[in-house]
Amino acid sequence: MDPSELDGLVLRLVTNPQDEQALVLAHHEGESDPAGYAALLERVAQETQDPAYASHWLAEAATIWSTTLGDSHRAARLLMKALALDPSQQTAHNRLADLYRESDDIKALVALLEQRARVLSPSTEDPEVCAELSPLHVELGRLWGERVGQPKKALENFRRALELDATNAFAIYSARELFKASGRIHEALAMYEAEIAIADPDRKVVLLRDEAATRRDAGDFVGATYALVRAHSLAPDDPELTHEAGSSILARIEGGEDVPPEERMGGANLFVDLADRYDGDAGLAYAGTALDLAPSHDRALQLYLYFATTLERTDDAKVRAAAYLAASPRGALRDEATRRLAPSPAPSSPPREIPAPARYNTEDPTLDGSDPFPLRPDTLPPVSLVVVLEQAHALATKGRKGEALAKYKQVLDADPAHPEALRWVEDHLRTRRDHASLRDVLMSAVHAMPASAATLEMRRRRLREVASLCEGNLRDLDGAILAHQQLYALDPTDTAARTSLERLFERVHRWDELASLFEQQASLETLAAKKIALEKHAAQIHETRRQDLIAAAEAWTRIASLASDDPASLATAAQLYERAERPSLAADVLAEGVHSVRPGAERVQLCERLGALREQHGAWLDAGDAYLQAAEASRQAQHWEMAERAFVKASAWGQAAHAAEQLASIAPHAEAPHLTRAAEHMIHAGDHAGAEEHLIHAVAIDPSNDRYAARLTEVLDRSAKWTLLASVLAKRAAAIDDPSRRIAERRNVARLYAAHGAPAIARSAWLDVLNDGDDVDALEALAADASADPAEAAAFLRRRLSLTAP
C-alpha cells in the first residue's frame, strides 16, 4: 500500500471507527506487514480526537507488538498510553496486567491493579463493577502479602474485597489469618463467623474447632467452649469432638473458674454420651468425669454404678453415691444410692445381680442428653437449711428480730438468693436504714442468681437499687459505678445505665473507662451517624483528657471509615499519628482511606501528604503511587514531577517514564526535555524502541538542541539504525536556522550515508550542503563521486579551487 493510500485509510478510520471496509483493508495489510499494521493503528490513535477510541486503537496495536512481533516493551508502553487516555478501558488493563505477570514485574503489576481499583471504586453501586473489583482486591491482597511483604496493605485489600463481596471465602480466610498474625483476635473471630455463614456443614465443624483453638490461645476459654459445643451440635456422632467439648468445660473448672451450674450439666451430658459409647474402664472414667461436673446427674450415676460393680470398684461406687445424695437428696436414684451406702450383706447372702443400664432412651428427655445445657429445676435445700429457716421464721413471728436476722443471714450464707430469707432481710435492713448491709446483701443475691432469662428483670431491679444506695445514701461512687457496669453488661441497650456510667466516670475522672464505654457503645450501634458521634466523644477524651494521641488517632480512623465523604476525619487521624511521632501509622491510615475520598482538592492534598510520609521512610515506590494519585486527580505538573522523582528513586523506570510523558502532554513549552527524560527512563526499563521514538520527537520539537541530537545519535548508533538516524538528522538540518550549523549537520548526514553503503543518498546530502554555498568537503566528495563523469567532476573541482584561490 503506497503512502497516499495509507493516509487515506488512516483518515477513514479516524473519521469513522466503525468503517468495516476500512477495517478489512487494514487487517489485510496487517497479514503481510504486522509492523506496518501496528504503526497504522498507532497513527489512527494519534489523530483520533475521541480518547476512548484512541485508547482502543493503542490497545489493538499493543496486541500486535506483543503477540505477533514479540516486543513486550513497546506493547507495555502503548498500553500505558491507552490507559492514560481512557483509565476505564478493561481490555488495555487486562493485557498490560498479563504482560506484567509474564515478566514477573510485581511492582508494576501492583501499581497497575491499584490504579484500576481507583478507577472502579466510585462505581461500586453497579453489580458488574463489584464483580470485577472484589477479585482485583483479592489479587492485590495476595501480592502485597506474599510477594511484597506488607501485611497491612494485604489486609486493607482483603477487607475491601469483603466489603464488595461478603461471600468471598479466600478473602475471609486471608483476612482472618492476617488478623491472627497481628494479634487482632477480636477481628479474626468476626472472620470465623463470616466464613461459617457461607460454609458447608463439614467446613463449619473445621472452622469452629479452629476458632476454639484461637480463642483458647487468646485466653478466652468460655468462648472456646461454646465454639466446640456449636461444632458438636453439627457433628454429634463424632466422639473426638464430644470429648473436646466436654474437656473444655472440665479444664475451666480445674483452672479455678466459677462455671455456671447449667454449663456444668451440659459438660456432664457430653461425658455421659461418651460413657454410653464405651464399656469397661473407659466407660467408668467417662461416667466419673460426668459426676465430677454434676454429682446429681442421674444417668451418669446409673452408668457409674454399673461399671463400678462389673469392675469390682465398690468403694468408688460408695463415694459417688454419697456425693449424689448430698447434691440431690430427692433425686431419681436416691434409693439405689442409699442402698450402696448400706453395710455390705453377710458373705452367705447370694450376690445381687446388677443389670446393665439401658442405653439412652430418646423418648425420655431426662435421659437422652440431647440438650448439652438443659435448664434443671431448683433442687430442694438440705434438711439442715430447712430447720434453720423454720427457726428464723419462729423468731421473727415472736418479734425477736435480731435473732431472726442472724438465722436468716445463716441461710443467705448458704444460698444468697434464697427467696424467703432475702425478702425478710431486705425489709428488715430497709426499716433500719442500714444501707451498707442492704447493698452487700443485694449484690450477693445478684451474683448468686442463675444467669437466665427468667431472672433477668429481678437482677436488673436489684442492681438499680444498689446503684441508688451507693450514690444517694452511701456516697460510694465506685460502688455505684460497679452496679451500673453490671447493669450495662446484662443489657448493653440500657440507655439509663450507660448515661449514668458516662456521668459517674466523668465525675470521678475515670477517663480510660469513659473512653472505653463510648467505644463499646459505638461497636454496638447500627446507625452510622450515632457511631460517628460516639467515636468523636471517645476521640476527644483520648486527646484532651488522657493525652493518648494514638488512641485518639485510632478513633478518628474508625470515624473516617464510617464517613468516606468526610476527608477531614482522615486528615485528623493522620495528623494525630504524626503528633504522636508515628508517621508510618499516619501513612497507613491515609493509604487505607484515601481511595474512598471523592475526587477533588481534599483528595489531592491527602495523596500529596501520603507521598511525603512515604518518602520519610524511604518507601519510594509507595510515595510514587501516592503522588501518582494526586497527579491523576489534579492534572498539575508539580504532582507529576513528584511522582517521577519518587519512581526514579525506586528504580520503577516504567512508571517514571509514564510520569514524564504526562508532563510532556500538559506542558507543551517543555515537551522536549520531558520526552528526553522519559526516553532515559525507558532505556533503564529496557524499552529501547520507546526511547528512540521519544528522542526522535524531542529532536523534531527542538532541532537546535545539540544534546538531544547527540543522545539520539548514540542510541540509534548502538542499535545500528543508520538509515533512521540519517533521516532524522537530515530533517533536523533542514530545520536549523543558522547556516553554519545547518551545513555542519548536513555534512554529518552525508558522511553517515556514505559510510554505510548509500552513495546515492550521500550524494543528495552533499548537494544539500551546497544549498547554503560552496563547501570544500562537499565539493571534494561530489568530485570523487563523479569520477565516472569527467566533465562533472571537473566542474566540482574548479569550484573547489576557487575557494582556495588568492
Side-chain angles (χ1 to χ4, degrees):
M1 186 178 293
D2 60 42
S4 61
E5 291 178 325
L6 189 62
D7 292 341
L9 186 57
V10 169
L11 180 60
R12 288 176 61 181
L13 289 174
V14 169
T15 305
N16 179 15
Q18 306 298 332
D19 188 332
E20 294 186 5
Q21 186 179 9
L23 290 171
V24 170
L25 289 172
H27 182 69
H28 179 72
E29 182 70 16
E31 291 179 348
S32 58
D33 181 11
Y37 180 39
L40 180 145
L41 294 177
E42 290 182 49
R43 278 191 59 192
V44 174
Q46 185 176 1
E47 297 180 22
T48 297
Q49 298 302 311
D50 187 328
Y53 277 120
S55 176
H56 166 74
W57 295 125
L58 287 172
E60 292 302 310
T63 300
I64 297 169
W65 283 112
S66 61
T67 59
T68 306
L69 301 173
D71 190 343
S72 58
H73 289 297
R74 182 157 186 166
R77 180 172 55 81
L78 292 176
L79 289 169
M80 290 175 69
K81 282 185 175 181
L83 288 173
L85 289 169
D86 181 9
S88 66
Q89 194 200 137
Q90 186 174 6
T91 301
H93 164 78
N94 291 344
R95 290 175 181 172
L96 184 56
D98 287 340
L99 288 176
Y100 287 149
R101 291 186 188 102
E102 291 170 5
S103 61
D104 202 33
D105 190 345
I106 301 303
K107 290 182 178 180
L109 177 58
V110 167
L112 176 67
L113 295 178
E114 290 199 330
Q115 180 185 19
R116 181 67 176 171
R118 289 193 296 273
V119 170
L120 295 178
S121 290
S123 304
T124 51
E125 298 82 4
D126 185 343
E128 292 185 1
V129 171
C130 291
E132 178 186 352
L133 195 52
S134 180
L136 189 150
H137 278 292
V138 169
E139 183 175 7
L140 274 169
R142 185 180 57 78
L143 291 171
W144 278 115
E146 297 175 6
R147 302 298 303 277
V148 184
Q150 291 197 26
K152 287 186 177 180
K153 283 273 196 178
L155 183 56
E156 171 191 334
N157 280 281
F158 287 130
R159 292 176 69 178
R160 181 62 177 147
L162 289 174
E163 290 173 6
L164 297 162
D165 179 9
T167 64
N168 192 313
F170 183 80
I172 296 172
Y173 165 79
S174 301
R176 180 175 69 246
E177 295 306 306
L178 288 169
F179 280 136
K180 287 165 63 176
S182 61
R184 297 163 66 176
I185 301 302
H186 179 72
E187 290 159 296
L189 294 175
M191 292 295 102
Y192 277 113
E193 285 302 317
E195 188 171 356
I196 288 169
I198 63 172
D200 60 66
D202 290 341
R203 178 63 179 165
K204 288 180 193 288
V205 171
V206 173
L207 288 168
L208 286 166
R209 293 176 96 162
D210 190 48
E211 178 185 345
T214 301
R215 288 182 180 274
R216 193 162 47 242
D217 292 342
D220 180 10
F221 301 108
V222 175
T225 294
Y226 278 94
L228 289 170
V229 169
R230 285 178 66 189
H232 174 264
S233 69
L234 295 171
D237 295 329
D238 184 343
E240 183 179 350
L241 187 53
T242 305
H243 184 274
E244 284 183 50
S247 297
S248 176
I249 299 171
L250 183 63
R252 288 163 53 203
I253 295 171
E254 293 174 346
E257 183 181 333
D258 185 15
V259 177
E262 62 269 22
E263 198 170 352
R264 287 172 172 263
M265 185 61 69
N269 286 340
L270 294 169
F271 282 109
V272 165
D273 180 31
L274 291 170
D276 246 328
R277 294 172 184 266
Y278 299 96
D279 292 319
D281 288 330
L284 180 71
Y286 283 128
T289 304
L291 291 171
D292 289 339
L293 290 168
S296 63
H297 199 292
D298 297 329
R299 178 62 176 172
L301 181 67
Q302 183 184 28
L303 289 168
Y304 192 90
L305 294 178
Y306 168 73
F307 290 130
T309 301
T310 57
L311 295 171
E312 298 181 355
R313 304 274 288 274
T314 55
D315 290 341
D316 292 342
K318 288 181 179 182
V319 172
R320 295 295 185 180
Y324 175 85
L325 288 173
S328 181
R330 298 187 179 185
L333 295 179
R334 62 183 181 278
D335 294 340
E336 178 65 19
T338 302
R339 190 190 66 75
R340 291 299 179 117
L341 293 173
S344 301
S348 59
S349 302
R352 179 173 180 265
E353 184 179 352
I354 304 295
R359 296 301 177 182
Y360 280 175
N361 177 6
T362 57
E363 296 181 358
D364 184 352
T366 65
L367 296 180
D368 69 1
S370 59
D371 182 358
F373 299 135
L375 290 175
R376 295 174 53 82
D378 293 334
T379 57
L380 292 176
V383 175
S384 58
L385 199 59
V386 175
V387 172
V388 174
L389 276 169
E390 291 175 351
Q391 293 172 349
H393 181 71
L395 290 167
T397 303
K398 295 176 182 180
R400 297 163 61 180
K401 294 186 178 180
E403 296 174 68
L405 177 63
K407 290 293 183 181
Y408 277 124
K409 280 190 173 181
Q410 187 178 347
V411 174
L412 291 179
D413 287 340
D415 181 5
H418 190 281
E420 179 184 343
L422 184 60
R423 183 168 54 253
W424 192 93
V425 171
E426 279 187 69
D427 293 340
H428 180 73
L429 294 177
R430 286 193 185 94
T431 303
R432 290 177 52 188
R433 303 184 65 79
D434 187 350
H435 303 301
S437 297
L438 179 58
R439 172 199 60 196
D440 296 341
V441 167
L442 291 173
M443 285 299 286
S444 296
V446 169
H447 293 156
M449 294 177 73
S452 66
T455 64
L456 176 62
E457 188 53 42
M458 178 62 73
R459 284 181 290 156
R460 291 173 63 179
R461 183 180 63 78
R462 285 174 176 162
L463 285 170
R464 289 193 192 98
E465 185 173 358
V466 169
S468 177
L469 287 169
C470 289
E471 185 174 0
N473 300 102
L474 300 173
R475 299 293 187 265
D476 177 12
L477 297 184
D478 288 337
I481 288 173
L482 179 61
H484 284 303
Q485 283 178 322
Q486 295 187 42
L487 268 171
Y488 186 63
L490 286 175
D491 182 8
T493 65
D494 189 335
T495 306
R498 178 172 61 84
T499 303
S500 297
L501 281 174
E502 291 173 12
R503 174 176 53 80
L504 290 169
F505 282 147
E506 186 167 1
R507 184 174 173 183
V508 298
H509 296 178
R510 287 166 64 167
W511 305 117
D512 291 4
E513 290 161 291
L514 180 55
S516 177
L517 178 64
F518 281 125
E519 290 174 348
Q520 182 181 0
Q521 186 62 24
S523 69
L524 297 173
E525 183 57 62
T526 56
L527 295 176
K530 291 185 178 180
K531 273 182 177 286
I532 291 171
L534 291 164
E535 290 286 9
K536 284 184 177 179
H537 284 308
Q540 183 181 20
I541 293 168
H542 286 312
E543 182 179 1
T544 61
R545 299 294 188 178
R546 299 184 63 247
Q547 304 295 312
D548 187 343
L549 297 179
I550 291 179
E554 291 172 345
W556 277 106
T557 300
R558 293 190 292 271
I559 293 168
S561 68
L562 293 167
S564 58
D565 59 344
D566 180 18
S569 301
L570 197 60
T572 301
Q575 289 167 5
L576 286 166
Y577 276 129
E578 289 188 74
R579 285 172 54 193
E581 299 182 353
R582 301 292 293 275
S584 62
L585 293 179
D588 289 343
V589 72
L590 287 176
E592 184 172 353
V594 74
H595 67 84
S596 62
V597 177
R598 294 175 181 175
E602 293 89 352
R603 181 170 182 173
V604 171
Q605 291 172 0
L606 292 173
C607 290
E608 187 174 348
R609 185 63 198 144
L610 173 58
L613 288 168
R614 294 300 195 198
E615 278 194 31
Q616 291 180 18
H617 289 81
W620 293 106
L621 181 60
D622 290 338
D625 288 338
Y627 289 137
L628 178 64
Q629 292 184 56
E632 289 174 342
S634 71
R635 306 303 299 172
Q636 292 182 4
Q638 62 179 6
H639 295 128
W640 287 114
E641 289 169 357
M642 293 175 179
E644 182 186 2
R645 173 173 53 81
F647 284 135
V648 168
K649 289 280 190 180
S651 299
W653 302 111
Q655 290 97 312
H658 175 65
E661 288 175 333
Q662 294 301 313
L663 281 166
S665 68
I666 64 176
H669 61 284
E671 185 177 4
H674 293 320
L675 288 175
T676 303
R677 284 200 321 282
E680 296 297 339
H681 302 329
M682 287 178 171
I683 290 171
H684 283 295
D687 184 3
H688 295 285
E692 293 166 4
E693 182 178 328
H694 282 329
L695 286 170
I696 291 170
H697 195 183
V699 169
I701 294 170
D702 188 2
S704 64
N705 190 306
D706 293 333
R707 184 169 60 86
Y708 301 161
R711 184 58 173 144
L712 175 63
T713 300
E714 180 183 351
V715 170
L716 291 179
D717 183 70
R718 187 179 302 154
S719 58
K721 295 183 179 180
W722 322 113
T723 303
L724 176 60
L725 175 60
S727 173
V728 174
L729 293 180
K731 291 179 181 178
R732 174 182 184 243
I736 294 175
D737 294 330
D738 184 351
S740 62
R741 293 184 62 197
R742 184 167 57 246
I743 289 171
E745 191 65 23
R746 283 175 170 166
R747 286 197 198 107
N748 292 335
V749 172
R751 288 169 181 155
L752 191 61
Y753 279 125
H756 293 285
I761 303 176
R763 173 182 173 81
S764 176
W766 284 119
L767 290 172
D768 287 340
V769 173
L770 297 181
N771 288 339
D772 286 307
D774 286 348
D775 176 80
V776 172
D777 293 339
L779 292 170
E780 289 179 353
L782 288 168
D785 183 64
S787 58
D789 187 347
E792 186 179 18
F796 285 130
L797 288 173
R798 282 194 296 272
R799 292 169 64 181
R800 163 69 180 84
L801 290 172
S802 67
L803 294 176
T804 56

